[in-house]
Amino acid sequence: MPAVTVDHITKTYGTKKSIVTALDDVSFHVEQGELFGIIGPDGAGKTSLFRILTTLLLADKGNAVVDGNDVVKDYRSIRNKVGYMPGKFSLYPDLSIEENLAFFATIFNTTVSENYHLIKDIYEQIAPFKDRRAGKLSGGMKQKLALCCALIHKPTVLFLDEPTTGVDAVSRKEFWIMLKGLKQQGITILVSTPYMDEASRCDRVALIQGGKILQINTPEGITQQFGRKLFAVKSANMLDLLHQLKSINGVQDAYPFGEFHHVVLKEGVDNITMPPNTVSKEVKPDIEDCFIALMKNNG
Amino acid sequence: MRTLKFILQKEFRQIFRDPAIIRMIFLLPVIQLIILPMAADYEIKNIQLAVADHDHSTYSRQLINKITASGYFKLVDYGNSYRQSFGEIEKDRADLILEIPQQFEKQLVREDASTLFIAVNAINGVKGGLGSAYLRSIIQDYNREVRMQWIQFPKFSPEPTIEITSSNWFNPLMNYKFFMVPGILVLLLTMIGVNLTAINIVREKEIGTIEQINVTPIKKYHFILGKLIPFWILGLVVMTLGFVVARVVYGIIPVGSFATIYIFAAVYLLAVLGLGLLISTYAATQQQSMLISFFIMMIFILMGGLYTSIDSMPEWAQWITRFNPVSYFIEVMRMVVLKGSGLADIKQQLLIISGFAVVLNAWAIYSYRKRS
């Protein structure tokens, strides 16, 4: 039985005149113990999806099942066994680390010591500050505390909504290592992120844009499906180069990518003559290349 | 039950950790109870009087002496031209002009009649109205004295006279503080109940903790009770504090029993907290909730019968006051504190307030459900 099944979920906001479709006929499923990434830019519908799955929001159409419970009918049992960490820090700023953790443990009818093994690795990092009020913590510490609070009742499924947004590069790396550790304890994790480079750390990812799922696959599977040649090109005048590249026959798309431009060739084209005075090399596509290609195909 | 215990523990911890709330709950009521009743005096004193005396006779001087001796008036200008006195009103130095005509004394003696002219600065309506009424009664009094001097009393008075004496029941000295302090206490209780509850819940919305709470097994009624009970207790504590201040500073000891007041207050607080809860379901930010409760409090205070008597309002306004819980509590407070009414006497008010409590809380819970 999959840990999470999403079946044709549609959610719109607003009234007749200005309807925004946040989720458009979204379906996927997440296996037990999987680390599943939902990757898409801001406004793609990630938070709406999480709020529906954590019973905070009702979908217009479709249904979803989390750990064997329907999100509408059995919302009470879902609330007992999922952990949710919203994108915005939402613990009590006037309570200390220890008090916040103890409060969330007690309202789930458990104690901190009962499930301490789950949070031990994370909690030890913030334990020296346990008497400090949550509002006075740094961004990285707040995030660790929020994760501890979401984990303290031993959830079967953990929902993390953009946990790494606004966190520095080192803390982001640490955070993904923590998630790997949790996955080993058998917890199913759904994590959303706008950062494409984090996709490779998930078991499977769903690329989402404008409320629609573009593709669901393993990170490797997604890059393998790219199916076209990709070059990284660089020259002294990057802006002119971009125009030149776009006008070459056999080029499907060219876009800036870090210090290089990425050039996607049309299907079946193996090579092109690069403009003079350029450095070019063939590169392997990554998730971002795939996302851009998928976005342009659908748009 | 266990869950509720932990929620309450958390709420009290948060309340006592916030120095602003502590000050608002314990310090402000005491300060207000000490300052407001002293300042909010119903009696109008220090009315600035300008006299334009064209007569300069013994009678006119006697009249002016009598007026200033009453203690209500301060003679700021004494002259012999109306124009000059009117200048004083224009400069806002005088509230009233009394013009004494030429030949005032002669007319009074010869023709048994004379006229006086009173001009009132009506910018401050209450002061002007009361001032001219005081002045008129002093002049009437003076008139009677003058007549008494002239009338030769026969053995049996040909004119029957009725003399009126009055005694003030329940507040024999007409001490307006006995009247104000219980009323102000009610307002304080209402403000704390409505504002603190509304702000507290809206704050959870603002910082997003309500979402976090919603994904836990906490039930709605746990959450709501967890919010209401602490403020219900705090409200009763503030009232106790208020009675201590009333006792120590003003020497007010309720004639009736404290039990009656506390029973009514307990029900009243439920109604007021329900109102706070209701505001919180409609407001998304603390500013919104502050503005809504401020607007409601204004109406509650001005139409509660503390500053203006409900009986003197137009009938439609009296109807509005029937939907104002504050007016019932002020009435009950006065009945119990001054008259010593018991539970049986305030039965009707108690029933109405219970109705308020049920309706407001039911409405709040209904709209809280719909919105989440």
Side-chain angles (χ1 to χ4, degrees):
Chain A
M1 185 187 66
V4 177
T5 312
V6 176
D7 194 16
H8 300 288
I9 288 276
T10 299
K11 174 74 195 173
T12 55
Y13 292 108
T15 46
K16 278 175 192 166
K17 278 186 184 161
S18 56
I19 292 181
V20 180
T21 307
L23 292 170
D24 189 2
D25 200 27
V26 169
S27 302
F28 65 88
H29 65 91
V30 180
E31 295 300 334
Q32 298 272 6
E34 205 174 10
L35 176 53
F36 191 86
I38 292 169
I39 296 175
D42 292 342
K46 303 187 293 288
T47 301
S48 298
L49 181 63
F50 274 35
R51 285 170 55 91
I52 288 170
L53 291 177
T54 50
T55 74
L56 290 172
L57 197 67
L58 288 176
D60 299 338
K61 263 181 251 157
N63 51 50
V65 177
V66 175
D67 200 25
N69 297 292
D70 187 279
V71 289
V72 182
K73 273 179 261 158
D74 309 321
Y75 74 98
R76 279 208 187 285
S77 26
I78 290 183
R79 288 179 182 184
N80 267 313
K81 53 191 185 188
V82 303
Y84 174 48
M85 180 176 152
K88 192 182 144 213
F89 178 74
S90 33
L91 298 175
Y92 292 99
D94 44 2
L95 295 182
S96 70
I97 289 185
E98 217 177 5
E99 287 164 345
N100 263 302
L101 193 60
F103 175 67
F104 282 99
T106 49
I107 57 177
F108 278 102
N109 259 317
T110 177
T111 56
V112 176
S113 52
E114 202 174 311
N115 293 316
Y116 188 69
H117 62 280
L118 267 180
I119 58 161
K120 184 169 170 286
D121 292 342
I122 310 163
Y123 188 69
E124 273 174 353
Q125 301 174 37
I126 51 172
F129 314 100
K130 63 182 197 297
D131 293 323
R132 196 181 289 184
R133 307 228 175 131
K136 294 213 157 64
L137 295 174
S138 72
M141 289 206 282
K142 275 183 182 167
Q143 178 216 36
K144 280 169 195 155
L145 173 60
L147 187 60
C148 287
C149 289
L151 278 170
I152 195 61
H153 59 289
K154 202 177 183 208
T156 52
V157 186
L158 185 61
F159 292 93
L160 307 170
D161 191 6
E162 301 201 12
T164 54
T165 301
V167 175
D168 70 64
V170 177
S171 300
R172 268 169 67 185
K173 210 168 183 181
E174 279 176 13
F175 194 78
W176 281 99
I177 295 170
M178 287 190 271
L179 291 192
K180 277 264 145 60
L182 291 174
K183 186 180 121 70
Q184 276 156 14
Q185 311 235 24
I187 298 173
T188 309
I189 303 171
L190 267 81
V191 56
S192 77
T193 174
Y195 302 120
M196 305 286 164
D197 55 316
E198 290 179 342
S200 57
R201 299 182 180 272
C202 303
D203 295 335
R204 282 196 308 147
V205 295
L207 301 181
I208 182 169
Q209 154 81 12
K212 285 196 181 108
I213 291 206
L214 303 175
Q215 199 171 32
I216 302 173
N217 211 329
T218 57
E220 299 77 32
I222 285 180
T223 49
Q224 276 162 17
Q225 277 186 0
F226 194 65
R228 276 157 292 179
K229 294 261 179 196
L230 182 75
F231 287 90
V233 193
K234 191 172 148 184
S235 86
N237 191 335
M238 293 298 274
L239 188 62
D240 284 347
L241 178 64
L242 191 62
H243 292 305
Q244 284 169 1
L245 287 170
K246 278 185 176 167
S247 62
I248 295 174
N249 229 343
V251 171
Q252 179 161 20
D253 195 15
Y255 45 86
F257 199 98
E259 54 175 331
F260 291 92
H261 289 322
H262 274 190
V263 183
V264 186
L265 304 190
K266 283 189 176 146
E267 254 180 302
V269 180
D270 269 351
N271 210 340
I272 49 162
T273 1
M274 289 293 165
N277 299 323
T278 55
V279 186
S280 69
K281 58 177 180 193
E282 191 177 347
V283 288
K284 272 190 160 180
D286 69 6
I287 298 279
E288 194 165 342
D289 294 303
C290 300
F291 193 87
I292 292 170
L294 286 166
M295 225 169 76
K296 292 199 168 152
N297 281 350
N298 284 23
Chain B
M1 239 19 238
R2 220 177 78 103
T3 317
L4 188 60
K5 191 188 110 197
F6 288 118
I7 297 176
L8 287 176
Q9 199 178 24
K10 176 214 120 201
E11 290 298 335
F12 274 115
R13 205 173 256 162
Q14 284 184 301
I15 290 169
F16 286 113
R17 196 160 283 180
D18 188 344
I21 292 191
I22 294 296
R23 255 174 258 148
M24 202 166 136
I25 293 175
F26 295 106
L27 218 55
L28 282 188
V30 174
I31 293 173
Q32 288 198 357
L33 266 181
I34 292 175
I35 292 175
L36 283 182
M38 300 269 196
D41 191 335
Y42 276 154
E43 282 183 276
I44 303 269
K45 279 178 186 153
N46 302 326
I47 302 164
Q48 323 269 17
L49 178 73
V51 176
D53 187 358
H54 303 291
D55 192 42
H56 295 287
S57 60
T58 327
Y59 274 15
S60 77
R61 239 162 284 141
Q62 265 180 7
L63 175 63
I64 293 164
N65 264 340
K66 191 169 168 61
I67 292 169
T68 48
S70 71
Y72 294 111
F73 295 94
K74 232 160 78 182
L75 190 62
V76 289
D77 181 63
Y78 178 77
N80 48 15
S81 105
Y82 179 75
R83 187 168 296 199
Q84 182 198 334
S85 303
F86 195 75
E88 293 298 307
I89 280 197
E90 283 181 327
K91 287 181 211 144
D92 205 28
R93 275 193 227 137
D95 301 309
L96 278 178
I97 303 176
L98 174 68
E99 195 180 21
I100 304 171
Q102 263 175 6
Q103 322 266 315
F104 172 66
E105 191 182 77
K106 276 185 193 154
Q107 282 176 1
L108 209 56
V109 174
R110 281 194 203 144
E111 297 162 31
D112 275 1
S114 184
T115 47
L116 286 169
F117 177 70
I118 301 173
V120 183
N121 178 2
I123 286 180
N124 183 341
V126 179
K127 206 172 183 186
L130 280 178
S132 71
Y134 287 168
L135 192 57
R136 211 166 296 170
S137 77
I138 292 171
I139 293 169
Q140 263 162 21
D141 210 28
Y142 174 74
N143 190 12
R144 208 173 42 237
E145 276 175 30
V146 173
R147 278 169 59 190
M148 293 288 239
Q149 288 175 10
W150 297 345
I151 292 171
Q152 304 281 318
F153 277 106
K155 203 172 179 187
F156 297 101
S157 172
E159 313 171 48
T161 51
I162 298 172
E163 200 181 338
I164 301 162
T165 59
S166 62
S167 70
N168 302 310
W169 277 88
F170 309 122
N171 189 359
L173 297 172
M174 281 288 269
N175 186 342
Y176 70 94
K177 281 178 191 122
F178 278 48
F179 181 74
M180 291 297 283
V181 172
I184 289 173
L185 196 52
V186 170
L187 291 186
L188 282 173
L189 215 58
T190 316
M191 268 191 311
I192 285 174
V194 175
N195 262 338
L196 288 187
T197 327
I199 285 182
N200 190 292
I201 299 175
V202 173
R203 208 167 90 95
E204 296 241 1
K205 273 194 198 175
E206 260 187 0
I207 50 177
T209 42
I210 204 161
E211 293 267 274
Q212 196 82 66
I213 293 289
N214 280 345
V215 285
T216 67
I218 289 185
K219 295 192 178 69
K220 290 259 152 64
Y221 76 89
H222 279 148
F223 181 76
I224 291 175
L225 281 180
K227 290 290 174 196
L228 295 189
I229 293 174
F231 291 111
W232 187 78
I233 294 174
L234 279 178
L236 292 178
V237 170
V238 167
M239 194 172 80
T240 311
L241 205 65
F243 276 120
V244 171
V245 173
R247 168 83 202 250
V248 172
V249 180
Y250 303 105
I252 297 173
I253 303 163
V255 181
S257 78
F258 274 115
T260 316
I261 297 176
Y262 275 90
I263 288 171
F264 191 86
V267 181
Y268 177 78
L269 271 170
L270 280 184
V272 169
L273 295 174
L275 181 64
L277 190 64
L278 183 62
I279 292 173
S280 77
T281 64
Y282 284 98
T285 63
Q286 294 187 48
Q287 274 110 318
Q288 282 179 14
S289 102
M290 278 298 282
L291 277 175
I292 302 173
S293 45
F294 185 73
F295 175 77
I296 294 176
M297 279 311 294
M298 282 281 275
I299 296 178
F300 274 9
I301 292 174
L302 292 178
M303 300 195 79
L306 180 62
Y307 293 105
T308 36
S309 166
I310 291 175
D311 294 327
S312 58
M313 291 179 191
E315 203 175 332
W316 57 266
Q318 292 192 22
W319 265 102
I320 296 177
T321 63
R322 275 173 216 173
F323 295 96
N324 180 358
V326 174
S327 68
Y328 294 99
F329 197 13
I330 288 182
E331 200 184 337
V332 167
M333 269 286 204
R334 286 176 180 163
M335 282 167 75
V336 179
V337 172
L338 296 175
K339 212 160 88 179
S341 303
L343 268 182
D345 305 303
I346 61 161
K347 200 174 64 198
Q348 197 196 346
Q349 284 90 339
L350 194 60
L351 272 173
I352 293 171
I353 283 295
S354 313
F356 270 109
V358 171
V359 170
L360 285 170
N361 282 295
W363 183 1
I365 289 165
Y366 171 75
S367 106
Y368 181 83
R369 275 223 184 112
K370 213 175 63 181
R371 268 150 221 270
S372 56

